[in-house]
Amino acid sequence: MIRILAKAVVVTALFCAGGSFGRDAEQLEIGSAKIFIEFEAEPPLHLHELVRDWVKASAHAVTIYYEKFPVNEVHILLRLFNGRGTRSGHTNGWKGSSIRIAVGKSSTTSDFAEDWMMTHEMVHLAFPSVADAHHWIEEGLATYVEPVARARAGDLTPEKVWGDLMEGLPKGLPGPEDQGLDFTPTWGRTYWGGALFCLLADIELRKRTGNRKGLEDALRAVLAAGGTIETEWPLTKALRIGDDATGVPVLSELYEKMKASPSPVDLNDLWKQLGVEKKKGRIQFNDSAPLAATRRTITSAERDSIH
Ligand SMILES: [Zn+2]
């Protein structure tokens, strides 16, 4: 099967309309979804185009991963600060989807190219709101899917993605007092512990299906069943829908294992299995490692993913 090609995802800029900030909003269309971009105050002239391209690139990556933009309509509300870069992203599904994010007035093309925050926030759109105890799945998905989606869109190299996972995932390992993901709401366990759950699920899904199904197949099914941030679901419902779609109960089983006990993971062994090595500060891949094909499938750009 040939999966959708990156270039087949078209994002078009349309017209202006009144926005939530009471100012004009620019509207982008991606498939049948509408994205409204609204500034709280008039930004410097150069920022309009940079922000538009940034939102487009993020929407493009998320659409490649999920095979559709997650919600029919989202309002992106931009605040401005003096300086460069992005800050304080927050996504909300109450009374329609919105993403609030602050943008530095002096930001340049490279600041937006390096930014992960907009894609992270858009990934939040693609999963139902769950009880506070499961906040780790919301942040874990956003932390894990964001770089994978950008790699598939060709915006990040696999070396960058695996290097960042190698650096970040140790922060998600259980400490001595750990009581499992549902009962240890620390920053590390919420963001990186959740991301570890996602990576382990992705690998196990590919192991059990001969690399034919991955985490994205489960997540696309959740989305197809209406599981966006605009709804509230029990976590078990989302996991069951994902498992039904892939034909293997990987998500439910992994949740049972990790929800109330520490479940330590030997990350060094995992990198060895995947064929990811760090030598003299550079990431190198070993294609004869047992899970090398799994690693390649997870971060290959879509134009290469013909199978
Ligand atoms: Zn988040």
Side-chain angles (χ1 to χ4, degrees):
M1 184 181 75
I2 299 174
R3 302 173 69 177
I4 60 163
L5 297 172
K7 65 183 179 225
V9 180
V10 179
V11 188
T12 45
L14 284 180
F15 52 85
C16 292
S20 302
F21 279 142
R23 302 178 55 81
D24 282 349
E26 183 173 1
Q27 182 185 321
L28 304 178
E29 279 203 352
I30 183 157
S32 58
K34 292 181 175 62
I35 301 172
F36 297 91
I37 302 174
E38 304 165 33
F39 288 93
E40 70 162 343
E42 187 56 32
L45 209 54
H46 78 286
L47 216 52
H48 277 286
E49 199 178 333
L50 292 181
V51 164
R52 187 190 310 128
D53 289 347
W54 171 50
V55 171
K56 273 187 191 176
S58 304
H60 179 247
V62 167
T63 300
I64 284 177
Y65 189 85
Y66 290 96
E67 290 186 334
K68 66 179 285 228
F69 191 75
V71 293
N72 294 328
E73 194 173 307
V74 60
H75 289 257
I76 296 178
L77 310 171
L78 297 140
R79 295 188 184 277
L80 298 169
F81 64 88
N82 291 323
R84 289 172 60 173
T86 59
R87 286 180 193 165
S88 326
H90 183 74
T91 302
N92 199 308
W94 191 63
K95 289 188 175 176
S97 293
S98 63
I99 294 174
R100 289 177 182 271
I101 200 159
V103 172
K105 288 182 196 169
S106 314
S107 299
T108 62
T109 308
S110 68
D111 291 320
F112 289 113
E114 285 165 20
D115 172 82
W116 53 266
M117 209 178 275
M118 182 59 79
T119 310
H120 175 109
E121 298 306 326
M122 285 182 176
V123 173
H124 278 312
L125 299 171
F127 200 76
S129 204
V130 290
D132 286 350
H134 319 305
H135 189 45
W136 57 266
I137 190 74
E138 297 167 339
E139 294 306 342
L141 280 168
T143 302
Y144 178 71
V145 172
E146 170 265 315
V148 169
R150 288 169 70 208
R152 293 194 187 179
D155 295 338
L156 289 182
T157 63
E159 286 83 355
K160 168 76 176 150
V161 177
W162 291 106
D164 286 355
L165 286 172
M166 215 175 203
E167 199 177 306
L169 283 172
K171 299 172 203 159
L173 290 173
E177 306 293 315
D178 196 275
Q179 297 176 57
L181 290 170
D182 274 357
F183 303 98
T184 315
T186 59
W187 176 86
R189 287 293 266 165
T190 301
Y191 284 78
W192 287 105
L196 181 59
F197 175 92
C198 295
L199 173 63
L200 294 175
D202 211 354
I203 292 170
E204 187 62 21
L205 268 162
R206 293 173 197 283
K207 269 189 195 168
R208 292 204 212 169
T209 62
N211 210 12
R212 283 180 301 108
K213 302 273 185 189
L215 184 62
E216 68 268 36
D217 295 290
L219 296 175
R220 286 168 190 165
V222 170
L223 199 53
T228 72
I229 195 162
E230 295 173 15
T231 61
E232 265 186 58
W233 283 10
L235 175 58
T236 47
K237 175 180 172 180
L239 301 181
R240 197 174 57 243
I241 288 172
D243 285 344
D244 287 347
T246 58
V248 281
V250 166
L251 295 175
S252 299
E253 286 179 13
L254 194 59
Y255 174 56
E256 282 304 314
K257 188 177 165 193
M258 295 180 79
K259 71 175 179 183
S261 63
S263 307
V265 175
D266 183 345
L267 284 176
N268 286 333
D269 181 62
L270 191 66
W271 304 132
K272 222 173 266 172
Q273 299 266 331
L274 289 162
V276 185
E277 298 164 6
K278 196 169 188 178
K279 283 185 182 163
K280 293 181 183 167
R282 289 174 62 100
I283 295 297
Q284 291 180 3
F285 296 133
N286 171 10
D287 278 342
S288 53
L291 297 178
T294 293
R295 185 201 72 234
R296 283 197 302 268
T297 311
I298 290 174
T299 45
S300 286
E302 280 293 314
R303 59 183 168 276
D304 303 329
S305 294
I306 295 172
H307 51 135

